Amino acid sequence: LPSIHVGMSSFGMPLKRGEICRLLHYRLRGGNQTEEQESEETYKIDFSRLLQQALPCLWPQGLLLQFRVLVCVCALVISRIANIAIPIIYKRAVDLLAEYARDGGQEERPASIRQTPPNPFMRSISWYVVGYVALKCYMGMQSDLRNLIFTPVAQHTREKMQLAVLRHLHALSHRYHLTRKTGATIHVIESGTTSLQTLLSLSAFHVLPSLVDVALCVMVFSFRAQGKLAVVTSVTVVIYMMVTSIVSEWRMKIRRRMQLLNKQAKQRAIESLMNFETVKYFDAADHEVALYQKALEKHHKAEIESERSLFFLDAVQQLVMGCGLLSCMLDSAARVLHKSMTVGDFVLVNTHLLQLYSPLNWMGSLYRMIQQNFIEMEQLFLLLDEEVEIKEACSPSQAVTCEGEGIVFNNVSFAYEQERPILWNFSLRILPGEKVGVVG
């Protein structure tokens, strides 16, 4: 500390011992914002602005990548058609088998031919079974096939965004990089560029197909004169969406705090290692480890709270879907007993609802992931919104020549930030022909 005090005093900048400790503490904390203040940080997402900024990055450049996008769209349309056709084919197969069993089946046939059903009937059943299995196989493979086709497009989008962010950060002034926390910036770049790709995938391949499935299911029920089932299904989905939205908004506050504490813990470790020499000089290794442990403990408590809220969300979702499924199945069973529906119709309703509710089970997680990706995208675009203070001139001026008294600095003070002054009343005269080097 005395050597630092003497060194700073030799430049006309006397510092007291307390001020040196304050500056050291400021450097280790990475800025003038304390963790307590940062923990109160809230996000107000402007979805329209984010979409306007993100949309130009989504459509790829190049005919090959654009062709891949069109292929994915076609595969998505085919999968929705297959998803609605599977229950119908299953229903037809069950009805044919029920009709064959009702007509006596093989019980009244001689034992010699009991194992050989009529060929036309067998061919009809076989076609339905083959079609059902083929569509199920396609639905099982279409997700991996779609990812295989879409991966180059997602990589292109992520790469374009990463290059744009890095180019912009290099264009920012020294003031920004002195006051910015490097660990937090790296985290924002990594999570933000990935969030754009994830948001595109979730919206196009999960949320949109689920909404289309709901509309098609209601249309099928309405077309088959099952208006009550269509109404119950619609009401169940609407209540499910409302409950998911309300509870997920509540969970988002918990998730934000958990993510913030996780970022602070990572930032603490990164900043401590980046300032390794300073930590060693002041024998602060144990102090840094203690702070890191404290940050991890806070993150772990927030993570447990997040898991509790997730359990509550899943329980409410299952209750809503269970009530809707119970109502539809009881109504279908009553219709079968009154001969207004066949057994195949009962199977059709059950299969439709199970296929519909299966992706909805993840809607809460999808909603949370979309919200989280919007938050991370917002942090990324905030980096891109940082104004470039020093720009290259279009027509640079000629070199300045020194004549007379030369170059004179008279009581010059400078600071990137008011809390971190660099020069205090600095004075210097450089005569023509002199070579002067400023070190420090």
Side-chain angles (χ1 to χ4, degrees), residues 250-263 265-266 294-312 368:
W250 166 66
R251 287 197 69 242
M252 185 54 59
K253 299 177 182 179
I254 302 174
R255 290 284 305 177
R256 284 172 179 168
R257 183 171 181 272
M258 186 189 74
Q259 292 291 338
L260 183 60
L261 292 174
N262 183 32
K263 184 176 71 173
K266 292 181 179 179
K294 183 179 179 181
L296 289 177
E297 291 175 353
K298 290 182 178 180
H299 172 250
H300 292 162
K301 292 181 180 178
E303 190 174 12
I304 293 175
E305 187 178 358
S306 176
E307 290 298 325
R308 290 173 181 168
S309 64
L310 178 61
F311 171 76
F312 176 75
R368 174 187 59 79

Side-chain angles (χ1 to χ4, degrees), residues 57-337:
C57 304
L58 298 181
W59 184 249
Q61 298 176 353
L63 293 178
L64 181 59
L65 293 179
Q66 294 174 359
F67 176 74
R68 286 179 175 269
V69 174
L70 296 178
V71 172
C72 288
V73 173
C74 293
L76 189 62
V77 173
I78 295 174
S79 66
R80 294 310 97 200
I81 297 175
N83 198 53
I84 205 67
I86 287 175
I88 298 176
I89 295 176
Y90 195 22
K91 170 233 185 301
R92 291 295 302 158
V94 172
D95 281 341
L96 286 176
L97 291 174
E99 180 182 357
Y100 179 69
R102 185 174 61 251
D103 293 341
Q106 300 177 5
E107 297 299 329
E108 299 178 358
R109 297 178 182 274
S112 59
I113 61 172
R114 190 173 296 173
Q115 302 300 326
T116 307
N119 288 334
F121 184 83
M122 187 61 190
R123 282 197 296 268
S124 300
I125 290 293
S126 299
W127 280 116
Y128 283 119
V129 172
V130 170
Y132 174 81
V133 173
L135 291 178
K136 290 291 287 184
C137 290
Y138 172 76
M139 291 300 296
M141 295 187 301
Q142 60 95 19
S143 178
D144 294 331
L145 177 62
R146 182 192 63 222
N147 293 335
L148 178 62
I149 299 174
F150 192 74
T151 296
V153 181
Q155 290 176 340
H156 170 79
T157 303
R158 185 173 64 249
E159 178 184 354
K160 185 166 72 171
M161 182 59 65
Q162 288 174 335
L163 294 177
V165 173
L166 184 61
R167 186 179 294 109
H168 181 74
L169 289 177
H170 277 298
L172 296 179
S173 65
H174 193 53
R175 178 201 61 80
Y176 174 84
H177 292 282
L178 282 179
T179 58
R180 190 64 181 178
K181 301 176 182 179
T182 305
T185 303
I186 294 174
H187 176 75
V188 168
I189 295 175
E190 291 179 351
S191 59
T193 52
T194 305
S195 66
L196 185 61
Q197 171 190 345
T198 306
L199 183 63
L200 174 62
S201 177
L202 292 178
S203 302
F205 301 139
H206 294 85
V207 177
L208 182 60
S210 298
L211 297 179
V212 172
D213 287 341
V214 173
L216 292 177
C217 182
V218 172
M219 290 174 59
V220 169
F221 287 159
S222 301
F223 179 76
R224 301 183 65 85
Q226 298 169 352
K228 182 178 180 180
L229 296 180
V231 172
V232 172
T233 302
S234 302
V235 172
T236 301
V237 172
V238 171
I239 295 177
Y240 180 91
M241 292 293 186
M242 292 176 58
V243 170
T244 300
S245 177
I246 295 173
V247 179
S248 296
E249 284 291 340
W250 166 66
R251 287 197 69 242
M252 185 54 59
K253 299 177 182 179
I254 302 174
R255 290 284 305 177
R256 284 172 179 168
R257 183 171 181 272
M258 186 189 74
Q259 292 291 338
L260 183 60
L261 292 174
N262 183 32
K263 184 176 71 173
Q264 288 178 355
K266 292 181 179 179
Q267 173 189 320
R268 169 61 60 187
I270 293 175
E271 294 292 339
S272 177
L273 293 176
M274 291 183 63
N275 295 276
F276 171 79
E277 292 184 357
T278 307
V279 172
K280 281 296 183 182
Y281 290 159
F282 289 88
D283 194 21
D286 293 337
H287 176 68
E288 289 296 315
V289 171
L291 291 177
Y292 183 53
Q293 182 181 6
K294 183 179 179 181
L296 289 177
E297 291 175 353
K298 290 182 178 180
H299 172 250
H300 292 162
K301 292 181 180 178
E303 190 174 12
I304 293 175
E305 187 178 358
S306 176
E307 290 298 325
R308 290 173 181 168
S309 64
L310 178 61
F311 171 76
F312 176 75
L313 174 62
D314 291 339
V316 174
Q317 288 176 334
Q318 293 300 324
L319 179 63
V320 172
M321 290 192 299
C323 292
L325 182 61
L326 177 62
S327 177
C328 290
M329 297 309 297
L330 289 177
D331 181 75
S332 300
R335 289 170 182 262
V336 172
L337 294 177

